[in-house]
Amino acid sequence: MVKFITLEGIEGVGKTSNLLFIKELLELSGQECVVTREPGGTPLGEALRGLLLSHSDENMSADAELLMMFAARAEHLNKVIRPALNNNKTVLCDRFTEATYAYQGGGRQLDVNKISNLEQWVQGDLRPDLTIILDAPVEIGRARAGKRSEPDRIEKEQDDFFQRVREAYIDLANQHPYRICLIDASLELKDVQKQIQKKLIEYKILMVNC
Ligand code: Z5A
């Protein structure tokens, strides 16, 4: 049964907007949901998020960034995600480990083995049942995000960084077609939502076209 759903994609593609859309659909169908995000989701995770995203004169090393993502994730899994799944709730998470493969693996070009070792250590066999990657060209995501707020430490990266992130996400979808799907997020929001709703029905998360 699909209980752990994550949303992914480069900045501005619509993760937050569509997470709320999915939550509404699931709640209408009677499912209890926990909506959360990474990095974050716990007091320690949110503190780490502050450190990870805020600007500082000190250049954070890519290894430190990777380890902080997984430190936040370990706390999140222990305090929020596993308890919710054990209580038969559906967890909707704005980013998870696929973001680490995309940003630290693709963007920062860290050795993927470092990431998979940490993934196994921190998560054991737990993986999302379904990961929806909202895919759109970098310029579209950046234009949408740019309208909203000042860029954070990671958003300040150049377009080639985000291009590598996008490509890493596409690779992940090709490597794990049963649990990771790509949605064309360059379309109007209502058309993106139609694709998502179709996927939820295909994965039997929604039984009816509500
Ligand atoms: N990160 C990492 O490096 N490694 C990790 O392991 C993890 C994370 C877990 C967290 O950012 C940062 O952490 C992120 C990756 C890194 N850094 N970057 N870049 P985040 O996830 O909190 O925030 P974000 O990536 O910057 O996402 P966002 O800017 O919040 O965007 P979004 O949630 O995808 O989009 P949105 O807020 O729903 O929509 C943006 C705007 O576009 C908004 O005005 C919407 O109304 C509009 N929108 C949405 N969809 C559409 C469509 N289809 N058409 C037109 N307009 C639209």
Side-chain angles (χ1 to χ4, degrees), residues 146-180:
K147 282 190 197 154
R148 201 198 36 195
S149 58
E150 278 301 299
D152 61 38
R153 190 182 63 85
I154 297 178
E155 287 168 348
K156 281 240 165 179
E157 291 295 334
Q158 302 298 309
D159 281 357
D160 59 336
F161 174 92
F162 291 103
Q163 196 53 48
R164 289 197 298 278
V165 173
R166 184 185 182 203
E167 282 160 16
Y169 271 132
I170 294 171
D171 286 348
L172 285 168
N174 290 330
Q175 283 164 30
H176 306 283
Y178 298 110
R179 67 173 186 88
I180 303 183

Side-chain angles (χ1 to χ4, degrees), residues 9-18 37-39 49 53 65 69 73 94-97 99-100 103-104 144-145 148 152 154-155 162 185-189 192:
I10 57 169
E11 61 164 326
V13 285
K15 294 176 298 300
T16 311
S17 319
N18 286 299
R37 68 172 180 180
E38 288 210 351
R49 179 186 178 92
L53 300 186
E65 186 180 271
M69 292 294 176
R73 185 160 299 137
D94 193 336
R95 297 191 183 282
F96 192 64
T97 305
T100 315
Y103 281 80
Q104 281 64 52
R144 286 182 193 161
R148 201 198 36 195
D152 61 38
I154 297 178
E155 287 168 348
F162 291 103
S186 65
L187 306 175
E188 278 183 39
L189 187 57
V192 175

